[in-house]
């Protein structure tokens, strides 16, 4: 090997991990091969999310002629389980198993719930569409059960999977591990959208059954492979008859640390602000900016790429000991610029400005989600990580679901109200309803800045002080029969 080649290899080895996204997330304790295998659970969560919100949303309305009100109700059912993520996370923290596992039984249970829901879903949807000689109520009940099972499963898998990754990753690499897991969720959504779109391009009922039940099998296989030899078994967490603190005491102790309630409220506000436009971006591009179907569909990829960039930036800064609340606040500011660009794209008839705004939404949302999740993890006691991550996931999922549901109704009412001329002749325009939604999102982002502002630490030692306070509270509860 000549000197030039040796110099090039040394340079690549020196700068490679710094240039390749998430290459520095691996450690000796959690090598990249094991980390990527663990992250497969996010692929299945992303696949289920795309199937419910995207593919089935269109198929049920267009191909199966299911009424829109029934579709909206079915898609809202998985939201019912979102607040229970906190309880599920707590139960995984305190679970005692003869096999010496805490997280694995819950991830496997969530996987089986997803598998069961996806297995019965296509037949339930066919009955729901009226293709039956029996009573239609059977289709309603079966479809509701299927959507509930899938929603409960994906929320359980994601909550406990993140908790397991936090358990396995060394503290100094957790921001990068979280970023990798969030990025794998985006990868799962992107790949699933392409595969589902191609598989259902020539729609038939048989093809629908094959696609959904194929997703069930893929979920079972990938989650099983992701779990294989991940959580070490320990006799110290086998059943020993020791009394465990109830959920309300554990929550009370967790909520006392580091302004937890304010952080969760900020997470809910910010997530709602970034989520209201989720079902409006493609209609806005097509109806207002007259973009073709291919162009509006590509905006989903632009949004995902922006989200990945936001996660990478957040991981870099957090690895440099940046304040996670400050990173989240930067994401909020980027979001304000993004929605401003969307509003201006209509009067300027600028599709490129719309694309820039969509990409900035992804960047801001990625940074905000990573910042708030990292802050939650940093303040979680090792024995309460499931509770902490469950609380964060519950706040985020509930806020996103409600925001998406409300945005459609607000858009329709605002557009109809503006069309009557009640807002003035200038606002008699199809873009008015969308602009009002984007303006509401900007207001919510400013409100999130107000809430998150006091959380930004003023010194580098504040997190250590909060952790010490948590330790004191935990010791006090232990001595009084509370949280262990």
């Amino acid at each position: 090997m000549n000197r030039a080649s040796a110099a090039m290899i040394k340079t690549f080895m020196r700068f490679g991990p710094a240039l390749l996204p998430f290459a520095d997330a691996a450690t000796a304790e959690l090598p990249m091969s094991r980390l990527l295998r663990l992250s497969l659970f996010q692929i299945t969560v992303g696949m289920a999310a795309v199937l419910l919100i995207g593919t089935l949303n269109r198929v049920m309305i267009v191909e199966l002629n299911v009424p829109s009100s029934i579709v909206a109700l079915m898609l809202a059912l998985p939201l019912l389980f979102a607040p229970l993520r906190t309880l599920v996370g707590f139960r995984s923290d305190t679970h005692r198993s003869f096999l010496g596992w805490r997280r694995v039984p819950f991830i496997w249970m969530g996987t089986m719930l997803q598998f069961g829901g996806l297995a019965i879903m296509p037949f339930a949807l066919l009955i729901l569409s009226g293709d039956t000689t029996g009573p239609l109520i059977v289709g309603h009940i079966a479809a509701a059960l299927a959507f509930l099972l899938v929603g409960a499963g994906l929320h359980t898998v994601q909550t406990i999977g993140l908790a397991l990754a936090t358990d396995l990753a060394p503290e100094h690499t957790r921001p990068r591990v979280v970023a990798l897991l969030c990025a794998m969720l985006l990868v799962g959504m992107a790949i699933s959208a392409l595969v589902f779109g191609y598989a259902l391009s020539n729609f038939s009922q048989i093809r629908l059954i094959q696609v959904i039940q194929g997703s069930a099998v893929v979920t079972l296989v990938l989650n099983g492979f992701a779990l294989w030899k991940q959580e070490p078994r320990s006799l110290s967490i086998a059943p020993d008859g020791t009394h465990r603190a109830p959920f309300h005491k554990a929550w009370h102790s967790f909520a006392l640390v580091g302004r937890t309630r304010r952080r969760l409220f900020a997470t809910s506000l910010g997530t709602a602000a970034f989520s209201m436009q989720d079902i409006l971006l493609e209609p806005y591009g097509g109806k207002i900016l007259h973009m073709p179907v291919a162009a509006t569909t590509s905006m989903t990829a632009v949004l995902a790429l922006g989200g990945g960039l936001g996660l990478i930036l957040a991981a870099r800064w957090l690895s440099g000991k940046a304040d996670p609340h400050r990173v989240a606040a930067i994401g909020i500011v980027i979001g304000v610029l993004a929605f401003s660009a969307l509003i201006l794209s209509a009067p300027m008839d600028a599709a490129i400005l719309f694309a820039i705004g969509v990409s900035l939404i992804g960047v801001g949302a990625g940074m905000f989600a990573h910042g708030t999740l990292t802050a939650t993890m940093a303040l979680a006691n090792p024995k309460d990580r499931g509770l902490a991550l469950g609380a964060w996931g519950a706040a985020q999922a509930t806020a996103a679901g409600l925001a998406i549901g409300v945005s459609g109704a607000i858009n329709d009412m605002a557009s109809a109200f503006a069309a009557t001329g009640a807002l003035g002749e200038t606002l008699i325009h199809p873009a008015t309803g969308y602009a009002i939604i984007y303006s509401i999102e900007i207001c919510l982002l400013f409100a999130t800045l107000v809430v998150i502002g006091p959380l930004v630490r003023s010194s580098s030692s504040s997190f250590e002080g909060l952790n010490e306070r948590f330790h004191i509270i935990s010791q006090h509860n232990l001595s009084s029969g509370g949280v262990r």
Side-chain angles (χ1 to χ4, degrees):
M1 182 182 297
N2 57 40
R3 291 185 177 181
S5 299
M8 290 177 62
I9 293 175
K10 288 182 179 179
T11 302
F12 179 79
M13 293 298 293
R14 185 182 304 115
F15 294 105
L19 297 177
L20 296 176
F22 315 117
D24 52 356
T27 59
E29 298 88 350
L30 189 61
M32 182 58 70
S33 58
R34 184 180 175 189
L35 180 57
L36 288 176
R37 184 163 60 84
L38 176 61
S39 68
L40 291 176
F41 78 87
Q42 286 284 64
I43 298 290
T44 65
V45 170
M47 180 176 63
V50 168
L51 188 64
L52 296 182
I53 299 174
T55 305
L56 290 182
N57 184 19
R58 180 240 158 86
V59 167
M60 291 170 69
I61 294 176
V62 179
E63 279 79 13
L64 299 181
N65 297 313
V66 178
S68 300
S69 58
I70 299 296
V71 174
L73 179 61
M74 293 299 168
L75 294 178
L77 286 176
L79 177 65
L80 296 177
F81 195 83
L84 297 179
R85 290 174 67 143
T86 308
L87 180 60
V88 171
F90 167 74
R91 291 293 300 164
S92 75
D93 289 332
T94 59
H95 183 64
R96 296 293 181 265
S97 168
F98 285 104
L99 295 176
W101 284 325
R102 287 191 304 163
R103 313 293 188 189
V104 168
F106 287 87
I107 299 178
W108 185 247
M109 178 181 66
T111 299
M112 296 308 297
L113 289 174
Q114 280 184 267
F115 178 84
L118 292 173
I120 67 174
M121 183 176 290
F123 306 106
L125 294 181
L126 294 179
I127 297 174
L128 183 65
S129 67
D131 188 9
T132 178
T133 57
L136 193 59
I137 188 65
V138 175
H140 289 82
I141 295 175
L145 176 62
F147 277 91
L148 276 174
L149 288 175
V150 174
L154 71 90
H155 285 303
T156 300
V157 168
Q158 188 175 49
T159 299
I160 310 306
L162 288 172
L164 176 58
T166 306
D167 292 340
L168 298 177
E171 184 175 357
H172 67 281
T173 64
R174 283 175 192 160
R176 298 188 290 274
V177 170
V178 170
L180 173 61
L181 294 176
C182 294
M184 291 299 286
L185 176 65
L186 297 177
V187 170
M189 295 178 69
I191 294 176
S192 301
L194 293 175
V195 173
F196 292 153
Y198 175 77
L200 294 173
S201 56
N202 295 320
F203 180 82
S204 67
Q205 293 184 349
I206 296 298
R207 182 62 62 87
L208 178 66
I209 294 173
Q210 292 173 339
V211 168
I212 299 180
Q213 293 199 326
S215 301
V217 175
V218 171
T219 297
L220 188 65
V221 172
L222 289 186
N223 284 359
F225 184 57
L227 280 180
W228 182 254
K229 293 186 177 181
Q230 292 286 5
E231 184 179 19
R233 296 172 59 184
S234 174
L235 294 178
S236 63
I237 58 175
D240 56 4
T242 304
H243 173 72
R244 297 187 296 275
F247 171 74
H248 71 275
K249 288 187 177 181
W251 171 257
H252 179 70
S253 295
F254 169 70
L256 288 178
V257 179
R259 293 176 148 181
T260 296
R261 291 186 177 91
R262 175 180 284 270
R263 183 178 305 99
L264 293 177
F265 183 53
T267 300
S268 299
L269 270 181
T271 302
F274 279 112
S275 301
M276 290 187 72
Q277 90 297 329
D278 276 2
I279 61 172
L280 302 177
L281 282 180
E282 291 194 33
Y284 183 76
K287 185 177 181 179
I288 307 304
L289 299 176
H290 309 292
M291 299 170 63
V293 175
T296 57
T297 303
S298 66
M299 289 300 102
T300 302
V302 171
L303 185 66
L305 289 174
L309 178 59
L311 292 172
I312 293 172
L313 291 175
R316 299 288 183 187
W317 290 340
L318 291 170
S319 297
K321 305 303 181 182
D323 182 1
H325 298 114
R326 194 181 301 277
V327 172
I330 294 174
I332 293 171
V333 174
I334 294 175
V336 172
L337 297 176
F339 291 117
S340 300
L342 294 188
I343 294 173
L344 292 174
S345 65
M348 296 176 65
D349 194 22
I352 185 64
L353 187 59
F354 173 69
I356 293 173
V358 171
S359 63
L360 290 179
I361 290 174
V363 174
M367 294 182 65
F368 177 78
H370 195 350
T372 54
L373 179 56
T374 300
T376 301
M377 291 169 54
L379 291 173
N381 184 283
K383 293 184 178 181
D384 297 296
R385 286 177 183 144
L387 172 64
L389 292 170
W392 177 86
Q396 189 190 52
T398 304
L402 293 176
I404 292 172
V406 169
S407 63
I410 293 177
N411 179 53
D412 291 340
M413 290 188 295
S415 298
F417 192 62
T420 63
L423 300 179
E425 295 184 2
T426 305
L427 295 180
I428 302 179
H429 192 278
T432 299
Y434 296 97
I436 289 176
I437 293 294
Y438 301 148
S439 300
I440 292 174
E441 290 181 290
I442 291 175
C443 293
L444 288 175
L445 288 174
F446 277 119
T448 307
L449 273 179
V450 173
V451 175
I452 209 171
L455 296 175
V456 178
R457 67 182 184 218
S458 58
S459 67
S460 60
S461 61
S462 61
F463 264 42
E464 288 75 6
L466 290 172
N467 285 328
E468 182 180 356
R469 180 184 171 194
F470 191 98
H471 178 71
I472 295 173
I473 293 173
S474 299
Q475 292 299 322
H476 171 73
N477 287 328
L478 177 62
S479 62
S480 60
V483 180
R484 295 179 60 188

